[in-house]
Amino acid sequence: MTLTDATAPPEAAGAEAWIRICALGDLEIERGRAALVHDTQVALFLLHSGRVFAVSNLDPFSGAHVISRGIVGTRQDAPTVASPMFKQVFDLRTGACVDAQGKEPAHLRSWPTTVRDGAVYVKWAGRS
């Protein structure tokens, strides 16, 4: 399932704004979902703790939009996602690569999230 109901007032499209992505109920615990925000694919992850994380859906190692299909886990106390392509592991909080599988580390873009009134919002800066 791909979520595509990202909404924001037109005047907020070029400025930093909180954009509604989906209802919290659209997410499943530890199962990624992809959303299209303007022209950028975002991977959303809901954890058992109730926290929602948003990172780029573009795998920097393969060039495929597949991060939302990755395996959620932890490294020490950091929530992570492993790419389904080449198994690099990324910190969901920062997008930093914590296991590059022998390649040069690359990172995922990450966005702050919040849940208000049962909806998931991502803090978006411009149309990047």
Side-chain angles (χ1 to χ4, degrees):
M1 174 176 135
T2 300
L3 306 172
T4 58
D5 72 339
T7 57
E11 66 274 9
E16 190 171 277
W18 286 99
I19 298 177
R20 182 188 183 281
I21 302 297
C22 64
L24 184 61
D26 290 335
L27 303 179
E28 294 178 65
I29 294 173
E30 294 194 355
R31 304 280 311 260
R33 292 289 186 259
L36 187 61
V37 181
H38 301 297
D39 58 353
T40 301
Q41 289 190 32
V42 176
L44 299 167
F45 296 92
L46 170 64
L47 302 188
H48 284 286
S49 66
R51 289 204 52 199
V52 177
F53 293 93
V55 294
S56 173
N57 197 35
L58 179 63
D59 179 347
F61 293 94
S62 71
H65 289 90
V66 295
I67 295 299
S68 63
R69 302 290 185 219
I71 299 169
V72 174
T74 57
R75 291 286 172 102
Q76 296 170 350
D77 289 331
T80 61
V81 63
S83 170
M85 298 297 287
F86 302 122
K87 310 306 183 235
Q88 283 83 10
V89 179
F90 301 92
D91 185 326
L92 286 171
R93 301 169 304 181
T94 64
C97 185
V98 296
D99 186 350
Q101 297 291 315
K103 298 188 180 197
E104 284 295 315
H107 74 280
L108 300 174
R109 184 165 180 197
S110 64
W111 293 272
T113 63
T114 191
V115 177
R116 291 189 310 238
D117 300 323
V120 176
Y121 291 81
V122 171
K123 192 171 191 178
W124 201 257
R127 291 183 153 250
S128 44

